[in-house]
Amino acid sequence: MLRRRTVLNSAIAALATPVLAPAISRAQGRSVLKFIPQSDLALLDPVQTTGLVTRNHGAMVFDTLYGLDAGFVPQPQMAAGHRVEDDGRTWLITLRDGLTFHDGTPVLARDVAASIDRWSRIDALGQTLRARADEIVAASDTVLRIRLKQPFPQLPFALGKASATCFIMPERLARTDVATQVSEIVGSGPFRFLPGERMAGQRAVYEKFARYVPRAEPPSFMAGGKVVKVDRVEWHTIPDASTAAAALQSGEMDWWEQPIPDLLPVLKRNRNIAVEVKDKGGYLGMIRFNQLHPPFDNPAIRRAFLAGINQADYMIATMGSDTSLWKDRVGFFTPGSPLANEAGLEALTAPRSLDRVKQALAEAGYKGEKVVFIVPSDLPALNAMSEITADLFRRVGINLDYQALDWGTVLPRLSSRNAPDKGGWSVWCNYLPGIVAVNPAGNSFMRGIGQRGPVGWPSSERLEALRDSFLEATDPAEQRRIAAEMQRQAFQDLPYIPTGFYYQPTAYRTSLRNIVEGFPMFWGVEKG
């Protein structure tokens, strides 16, 4: 097993010295919040990627029709409310008063309809809604009408989920083909994006949108009142962990989204820094295969690796030895959630054996095909999981082409359906938010819809049939039964291999107060 990556002594020593490179200007004024994101904001259009950095950016700029609260229950957000008629087949959703886009135009129901149309062409759960809808149209300027072929009780969840989110944009932008990035980043959310101040690879800047009208309720994750209490938020990309930690310690930065585990003890000793787990949903690690091309179009070859996966190795590499921050013995549902179960887990909990992996690969017909492994080396968690996976691959005889790249290069390449030797890829390590995996309705990575699904493109008629049954089930016991059967089937088809579950602490200056629980959100935060 690979030893967990460590930070060099010289890098830790750098925490005590001023940051010299890259040069970072000090915040001017108390209402400027300076934030270090997990990686560069490489793609601005939140419909075109499931990347979490782009999702976080989207949540600042855009708003949603519904939003999940801290209990992961969808609540009206841009919606004032809704009325359900025709035995659940017609939804009439009324917009709140005062909704305005950043370009000064009012938010109308036709903007919402166009935004849902664009999002539903690419999102897996959106495609389900699209297939079940006879129409999604503006009944008036303030009322959206959705007529369904059959009841779809998951509708508010679909329109408010917190990953691959249905953000609302002006109709003129929402009419952009999903293969083309929108020409402007204009939403109606609590912050305006400032394109003139963006420096690719270095900085993204947002300012408070003065005309935003928040809801009256207290903030709760993506629901409630998004009251902005800072004038400006600057995202500064700092790939080097020691430089990021030094900037936080010196006060040049206010908040570091994902400090690496090696530096957590150092940060905790600083009385001006708080280290907390804000995102209680956590993250589930995965190995994601490209199932369009050999060798991973063969499910037997994918299954062969199960006997060699030790989730504890992955979690130690990712989060260190503090077991309060991670869990192994994890399947396809978020640990502790109502649908979490142990069906099929013996594939990962039986004794581990590299010899069994080698034998299974031979029996499955692996013939030494080159495996192109793309690795975003500037994302520490993914880099750590990739190193463990690469070590396994090499030890069982995989012909490995390990390509360590930056996230800005990996992200567009993931969309390529080309063969691995023609600019495509074979495998990569990823993680998905635990809030996505609390039920199969929103976990697009568990889908089996081939090229209509997210990168990796697995196909499984059985998984899809079970998911349809889940969407129609209303009894919790029946939902749990179906979820267990889905997990058992997933261990056969392997849309991905689960590598464990972990909590990612965040670190921030104690001058910040009232940070909302969840992924980084900037409404409600005060700096003083």
Side-chain angles (χ1 to χ4, degrees):
M1 182 186 75
L2 287 181
R3 296 182 59 192
R4 184 168 63 95
R5 55 174 174 45
T6 57
V7 177
L8 298 177
N9 291 334
S10 59
I12 294 178
L15 300 182
T17 65
V19 179
L20 299 177
I24 303 169
S25 60
R26 293 187 177 275
Q28 302 297 315
R30 293 175 61 189
S31 62
V32 178
L33 192 161
K34 295 198 172 186
F35 172 74
I36 306 170
Q38 59 182 269
S39 68
D40 180 46
L41 179 61
L43 188 61
L44 298 177
D45 186 341
V47 174
Q48 289 190 318
T49 178
T50 58
L52 299 183
V53 175
T54 303
R55 184 274 314 270
N56 298 350
H57 148 83
M60 296 179 73
V61 176
F62 302 94
D63 215 341
T64 55
L65 206 56
Y66 295 85
L68 298 187
D69 64 18
F72 308 140
V73 177
Q75 303 293 344
Q77 186 56 34
M78 295 176 74
H82 62 251
R83 188 170 76 251
V84 183
E85 301 176 344
D86 192 23
D87 295 325
R89 290 191 291 271
T90 299
W91 290 64
L92 298 170
I93 303 171
T94 302
L95 299 179
R96 289 196 291 126
D97 293 335
L99 299 177
T100 306
F101 286 117
H102 301 155
D103 61 5
T105 60
V107 178
L108 303 176
R110 64 173 179 263
D111 300 303
V112 178
S115 297
I116 294 173
D117 179 75
R118 184 170 189 258
W119 162 81
S120 67
R121 291 177 183 274
I122 198 168
D123 178 74
L125 184 53
Q127 290 171 7
T128 300
L129 170 60
R130 190 181 189 88
R132 296 188 176 205
D134 282 326
E135 66 172 8
I136 302 176
V137 298
S140 69
D141 282 350
T142 59
V143 177
L144 178 77
R145 183 173 65 238
I146 300 179
R147 287 198 307 109
L148 302 163
K149 297 179 176 67
Q150 61 192 93
F152 187 40
Q154 297 282 348
L155 180 65
F157 179 86
L159 297 178
K161 64 191 179 80
S163 186
T165 307
C166 182
F167 292 118
I168 305 304
M169 57 184 63
E171 181 184 27
R172 64 184 177 84
L173 298 176
R175 293 302 180 196
T176 305
D177 186 271
V178 291
T180 303
Q181 185 168 193
V182 292
S183 58
E184 301 172 67
I185 304 301
V186 176
S188 63
F191 289 92
R192 291 176 60 244
F193 177 67
L194 303 182
E197 297 198 45
R198 182 184 181 228
M199 297 176 64
Q202 299 181 49
R203 185 179 69 194
V205 182
Y206 309 82
E207 69 176 7
K208 177 180 179 179
F209 180 42
R211 296 180 63 183
Y212 182 76
V213 179
R215 296 187 67 90
E217 305 91 345
S220 179
F221 190 34
M222 292 191 72
K226 300 177 181 179
V227 179
V228 175
K229 298 182 179 180
V230 295
D231 295 321
R232 178 180 169 98
V233 176
E234 298 177 2
W235 288 18
H236 291 267
T237 303
I238 307 178
D240 179 71
S242 62
T243 304
L248 185 67
Q249 293 234 100
S250 69
E252 293 178 275
M253 292 288 123
D254 299 305
W255 186 357
W256 185 10
E257 181 183 1
Q258 293 191 356
I260 64 172
D262 297 289
L263 295 180
L264 292 178
V266 179
L267 298 175
K268 288 178 179 178
R269 288 196 294 268
N270 188 319
R271 60 191 179 95
N272 295 314
I273 294 174
V275 177
E276 296 182 48
V277 173
K278 286 290 185 181
D279 190 350
K280 301 302 194 300
Y283 297 88
L284 290 103
M286 70 165 78
I287 302 170
R288 183 74 165 179
F289 302 103
N290 183 339
Q291 300 191 25
L292 298 182
H293 301 286
F296 298 131
D297 58 340
N298 182 343
I301 289 178
R302 301 194 297 270
R303 286 195 299 270
F305 295 104
L306 288 172
I309 298 294
N310 186 337
Q311 289 187 338
D313 290 348
Y314 280 86
M315 293 299 96
I316 291 170
T318 302
M319 293 309 300
S321 57
D322 183 354
T323 55
S324 69
L325 292 178
W326 56 264
K327 301 178 187 294
D328 56 359
R329 298 181 60 91
V330 172
F332 289 85
F333 295 92
T334 305
S337 67
L339 299 180
N341 64 83
E342 296 198 355
L345 265 182
E346 62 275 5
L348 292 173
T349 58
R352 308 289 81 196
S353 170
L354 294 183
D355 288 338
R356 284 174 52 206
V357 177
K358 293 176 184 177
Q359 180 182 351
L361 284 172
E363 292 175 352
Y366 176 64
K367 297 180 175 60
E369 297 97 332
K370 181 180 287 187
V371 167
V372 175
F373 194 158
I374 55 174
V375 179
S377 57
D378 51 349
L379 289 177
L382 301 192
N383 188 60
M385 285 191 282
S386 299
E387 289 179 354
I388 297 293
T389 304
D391 182 57
L392 169 63
F393 282 4
R394 292 185 181 107
R395 292 170 70 181
V396 299
I398 295 297
N399 179 11
L400 189 65
D401 180 4
Y402 188 88
Q403 299 185 12
L405 307 164
D406 62 84
W407 176 237
T409 303
V410 169
L411 183 58
R413 186 166 171 186
L414 283 170
S415 299
S416 173
R417 292 173 169 80
N418 292 338
D421 62 350
K422 298 186 184 304
W425 58 280
S426 305
V427 64
W428 80 302
C429 286
N430 190 19
Y431 52 73
L432 69 158
I435 54 172
V436 170
V438 294
N439 78 47
N443 186 355
S444 61
F445 282 90
M446 203 177 176
R447 297 295 302 272
I449 53 176
Q451 297 198 45
R452 294 185 293 118
V455 295
W457 309 288
S459 296
S460 171
E461 292 183 2
R462 179 60 179 157
L463 270 180
E464 285 301 297
L466 287 167
R467 180 178 174 276
D468 288 342
S469 297
F470 179 89
L471 291 175
E472 294 168 4
T474 56
D475 176 56
E478 177 65 4
Q479 290 180 336
R480 289 192 295 271
R481 185 197 67 78
I482 296 170
E485 187 62 27
M486 288 192 72
Q487 178 160 290
R488 191 174 288 108
Q489 186 66 39
F491 274 115
Q492 289 298 309
D493 297 331
L494 278 191
Y496 57 86
I497 295 179
T499 58
F501 171 85
Y502 67 96
Y503 298 104
Q504 172 64 59
T506 195
Y508 58 92
R509 302 283 299 181
T510 54
S511 55
L512 298 186
R513 302 185 304 278
N514 301 324
I515 294 177
V516 177
E517 297 281 330
F519 62 77
M521 294 170 284
F522 299 88
W523 48 84
V525 183
E526 298 179 73
K527 181 179 177 182

